[in-house]
Amino acid sequence: MNIPRWFPDEVAHAGPEHLDPAYVPGYDRKAGTDPTDDVGLLRDLGLSERHTLVDLGAGTGTFALAAAPYCGRVIAVDVSPVMLARLEEKAGERGIANIACVRSGFLSYQHEGDRADVVYSRNALHHLPDFWKAIALRRIAGILKPGGIFRLHDLVYSFDPGDAERVFDAWFAGAASAPEDGWTREELETHVCDEHSTFAWLLEPMLERAGFAIQDVAHSPAGVYSAYTCVTEG
Ligand SMILES: C[S@@+](CC[C@H](N)C(=O)[O-])C[C@H]1O[C@@H](n2cnc3c(N)ncnc32)[C@H](O)[C@@H]1O
C-alpha cells in the first residue's frame, strides 16, 4: 500500500514506553491480563481451527498466544519491534507455530490471503485520535469476512464530560503504588493528558458507521474501560 503522506507516523504515537527495551520485559506482570474469558467468548461464538484471527496492537501477545491453539492462523500486528520480539520469544518458548508477527499498525497493516474471521484489539486503539480511529475501524471492517467478529477492549470513557474530575479522581486513587505492579497515578494522568481515549457515545457511532453491528457492550463500573463485541454486516 502506498501510505498517503498525510497519514500519521504510527510509531511516533505508539507510546514511547512500548518502544523501550527496558520497559517491555516487565509489561506482562504490570498488565496482569488474563485472556481466558476472551478466548472462551470467541470460542463460544464459533472460533475454530479453520479460522484466521488478527490481533491489532498485539503487544507481547498475551491474547494472541492464548488464542493460537484454537485457531488455524493468528496474525499479531504491532508497530513496536520490541513488543513483537518479546511475543516471538514467548511463542518459541511455548512451541506455538501458527502465529505470524507483522510490524505494522491500524492504519498501515495490509491483510493478505483470505479475509479474517476474527479481529481482536485490546487497549491499543486509544493511540489514535478520533478521526484516525474512524479510518482504522473502516480498515478493520475491510479485513473481516461478512459476519466476521471484532472484539474490542480499550480505555473508553462512559461518563458525561461534567463528571470527568470525579471519575478521574476515583480512578487515580486506585492506581498502583509501584510501576512494576500496575499503572501508577502518574502513568494514568499521562494517559488522560496525552493519549486519545474517547467517549463511548462517540466510539459507538464510529463502530456503526464503519459497518459493524454492536452485539454486546460492557462498560467498567469505574467508567474508564469498555469492551465491545461487533459483527460486520454482510
Ligand atoms: C497497552 S499495549 C496493549 C498490548 C496488548 N494488546 C495487551 O492487551 O496487552 C498497546 C500496544 O499498542 C501498540 N500500538 C500503539 N499504536 C499502534 C498502532 N497505531 N497500530 C498498532 N499497534 C499500536 C503498542 O506498540 C503496544 O504494543
Side-chain angles (χ1 to χ4, degrees), residues 10 13-14 18 27 31 33 55-59 62 77-80 83 104-106 122-124 127-128:
E10 291 183 271
H13 296 90
H18 300 131
Y27 176 80
T33 308
D55 185 349
L56 289 169
T62 301
V77 180
D78 202 288
V79 289
S80 165
M83 290 296 232
S104 193
F106 287 108
R122 184 176 179 283
N123 295 2
H127 287 288
L128 299 179

Side-chain angles (χ1 to χ4, degrees), residues 196-210:
H196 303 287
S197 281
T198 194
F199 287 110
W201 41 269
L202 293 172
L203 182 62
E204 287 160 17
M206 274 194 250
L207 284 162
E208 287 163 353
R209 188 89 179 208

Side-chain angles (χ1 to χ4, degrees), residues 28-51:
D28 287 351
R29 175 177 163 180
K30 181 181 180 77
T33 308
D34 182 350
T36 311
D37 286 353
D38 273 336
V39 173
L41 173 90
L42 292 170
R43 291 187 73 202
D44 287 347
L45 292 173
L47 180 69
S48 80
E49 290 78 1
R50 291 176 289 107
H51 288 164

Side-chain angles (χ1 to χ4, degrees), residues 155-233:
L155 289 91
V156 173
Y157 303 147
S158 55
F159 52 81
D160 287 322
D163 291 333
E165 197 169 340
R166 178 184 58 75
V167 170
F168 291 146
D169 278 350
W171 189 28
F172 299 158
S177 45
E180 56 273 23
D181 296 331
W183 276 271
T184 61
R185 180 185 184 102
E186 188 184 353
E187 289 171 315
L188 298 182
E189 286 173 346
T190 300
H191 173 87
V192 171
C193 186
D194 295 347
E195 299 188 353
H196 303 287
S197 281
T198 194
F199 287 110
W201 41 269
L202 293 172
L203 182 62
E204 287 160 17
M206 274 194 250
L207 284 162
E208 287 163 353
R209 188 89 179 208
F212 291 107
I214 300 172
Q215 305 246 307
D216 187 66
V217 186
H219 301 305
S220 69
V224 292
Y225 291 93
S226 296
Y228 295 92
T229 305
C230 307
V231 176
T232 49
E233 288 157 356

